Amino acid sequence: MKTATLPSVRVKPELRAEIQSLLSDNESVSQFVETSVRESVRRRRNQHEFIARGIVSLESAKRTDDYVDADVVIGNLERKLAFAKANSAQSKR
């Protein structure tokens, strides 16, 4: 399969200089841009999938009239966070 190119992007010289100052050893600006585009695509795909799951969940809740109170959800999350912090503190000892 042939490769394709992305459109050129004009940036201010300051941004290009900042990018160049952040490059890893043997990394080119092109590689940096490709990595950035891949990460952006992955993040947007994850956002779209998250929203789609949320819509399905909302439709299911409406259909079944089965909702969970926000205070219950927050409480569960706070307990999980406290547990994770306690485990993290123990593993650092």
Side-chain angles (χ1 to χ4, degrees):
M1 182 166 110
K2 285 186 164 183
T3 60
T5 60
L6 294 174
S8 297
V9 178
R10 292 203 172 273
V11 296
K12 292 184 178 183
E14 298 84 16
L15 178 58
R16 183 176 173 95
E18 184 175 10
I19 291 168
Q20 288 176 316
S21 74
L22 298 170
L23 295 176
S24 301
D25 291 339
N26 300 319
E27 182 182 29
S28 67
V29 172
S30 294
Q31 290 168 324
F32 178 88
V33 170
E34 180 184 358
T35 299
S36 299
V37 169
R38 287 182 187 279
E39 289 174 0
S40 183
V41 166
R42 184 173 39 253
R43 184 175 51 255
R44 287 191 184 198
R45 185 181 329 107
N46 289 342
Q47 288 172 338
H48 287 280
E49 290 170 0
F50 178 81
I51 291 169
R53 287 192 312 271
I55 290 170
V56 168
S57 178
L58 176 60
E59 290 170 352
S60 173
K62 286 179 179 179
R63 190 176 53 257
T64 62
D65 199 35
D66 184 19
Y67 295 90
V68 179
D69 189 76
D71 291 335
V72 172
V73 173
I74 297 294
N76 288 339
L77 291 172
E78 287 172 342
R79 280 190 293 284
K80 287 181 180 183
L81 179 60
F83 181 77
K85 284 181 178 180
N87 283 344
S88 177
Q90 281 184 340
S91 67
K92 289 181 181 178
R93 291 181 188 167

